[in-house]
Amino acid sequence: MKVGVWFYGLGTVLTGILDVVWDAFDDSHQPIQALGKNVPGQHVLAYGAGVWLVAAGLAILSRRSLKIGAAASAIAYLIFATFWLSRYYAGIHALGWRIDVLAGISFGLAQQLMLVAPAAIVYASTASPDSLLQKKAAIAARWLLGLPPVLFGLFHLIGIRVFASIVPHWMGFGYFWTVLTGIAFFLAGCAICSGIMDVLASRLLALMLLLFEGFVEIPPIFIRLHNQATWAGAVYNLAAIGACWIFAEFLTSRADRRRIEPAQNVAA
């Protein structure tokens, strides 16, 4: 899982650095305003969260502090997810019961929950292969990683006009790419949740996110260099790529163990 852990750890560290540099939470991923317009000490909280994320990301990259880093990362992303839960009340109160409002808030919530999955896997990987912790972590990670792409896919199809505008102009056919990626997200999520071709789905999802990173997320940085949300989108994508890769390699290692153990028993 080394490649995935490096992507995930790097994304976590860079997320923390952005919070520290801007001295503020990123509205697109960490909407603390959902708790109230004037939350006291927002800058202090953002700085503290940034330092926490940097420490957690660095810790997860070291074998000695792997378990602590995974737990610290999971706590941070769960807290950001609670910000989105508060937005259900605020969004519905302000805009009413609209499918696009509910889908948009669910999209943001799913983004944060998706990053809890690899932390659970990395934390459980330090336990024995047959332990109850690893089994529970595998089940939790499957749903935490599988349901978000399903929501991403549905939101792509619901907000097709918005996502079509994000497609680079040189690619053209914005609506086509939006529908295609929406279907790809949905199918990948279904495969991960059902356990049918889940390893392949996780790897292809990581590949698609990597392509997004190069074609969609990084280029706008050069245009909006001082925009925190632009940087945050690219940084989030790195952590999401790591999440998919960690899950795929975790499943592969468990499958390998199942094949190896009977062979060792026969040899004995």
Side-chain angles (χ1 to χ4, degrees):
M1 298 189 294
K2 280 186 178 180
V3 174
V5 169
W6 273 97
F7 268 101
Y8 182 73
L10 179 62
T12 301
V13 169
L14 292 176
T15 300
I17 290 175
L18 293 180
D19 287 345
V20 171
V21 169
W22 263 270
D23 197 22
F25 287 102
D26 167 39
D27 294 341
S28 58
H29 294 92
Q30 307 159 347
I32 194 173
Q33 294 82 1
L35 302 178
K37 291 184 178 180
N38 298 309
V39 177
Q42 283 192 40
H43 295 297
V44 176
L45 291 173
Y47 190 87
V51 172
W52 179 282
L53 286 167
V54 171
L58 291 175
I60 208 171
L61 296 177
S62 172
R63 185 177 295 275
R64 292 182 178 180
S65 55
L66 185 70
K67 199 169 183 178
I68 296 173
S73 299
I75 290 170
Y77 291 122
L78 281 172
I79 291 173
F80 297 149
T82 61
F83 293 168
W84 285 100
L85 287 174
S86 301
R87 268 208 163 173
Y88 278 107
Y89 172 77
I92 293 170
H93 181 74
L95 302 171
W97 287 90
R98 288 168 40 187
I99 186 66
D100 57 334
V101 173
L102 294 174
I105 298 171
S106 299
F107 184 91
L109 174 63
Q111 282 186 315
Q112 298 308 311
L113 291 179
M114 186 176 180
L115 298 187
V116 178
I121 291 173
V122 172
Y123 185 90
S125 67
T126 59
S128 112
D130 296 324
S131 68
L132 184 61
L133 177 61
Q134 275 216 10
K135 293 177 182 178
K136 287 186 175 181
I139 295 171
R142 181 178 297 282
W143 289 100
L144 286 171
L145 192 76
L147 285 177
V150 172
L151 294 174
F152 297 163
L154 293 174
F155 193 46
H156 269 65
L157 300 177
I158 293 171
I160 184 171
R161 186 173 299 178
V162 175
F163 285 98
S165 66
I166 300 174
V167 177
H169 295 298
W170 60 268
M171 291 182 65
F173 308 103
Y175 286 96
F176 167 77
W177 292 114
T178 301
V179 172
L180 181 64
T181 53
I183 294 172
F185 269 127
F186 183 81
L187 292 178
C190 290
I192 293 170
C193 289
S194 65
I196 301 172
M197 301 182 71
D198 46 4
V199 174
L200 177 61
S202 301
R203 288 174 175 166
L204 290 177
L205 185 56
L207 175 60
M208 185 170 72
L209 292 174
L210 185 62
L211 293 175
F212 283 0
E213 186 74 6
F215 294 143
V216 179
E217 301 294 352
I218 292 180
I221 290 176
F222 298 100
I223 302 171
R224 299 186 290 273
L225 191 61
H226 301 289
N227 185 283
Q228 184 183 10
T230 304
W231 281 91
V235 167
Y236 171 85
N237 224 35
L238 290 176
I241 292 167
C244 297
W245 196 259
I246 288 171
F247 183 70
E249 295 309 308
F250 177 70
L251 291 181
T252 303
S253 66
R254 285 173 65 86
D256 288 342
R257 282 197 295 267
R258 292 192 190 99
R259 287 194 292 267
I260 291 170
E261 287 169 0
Q264 290 176 334
N265 292 336
V266 170

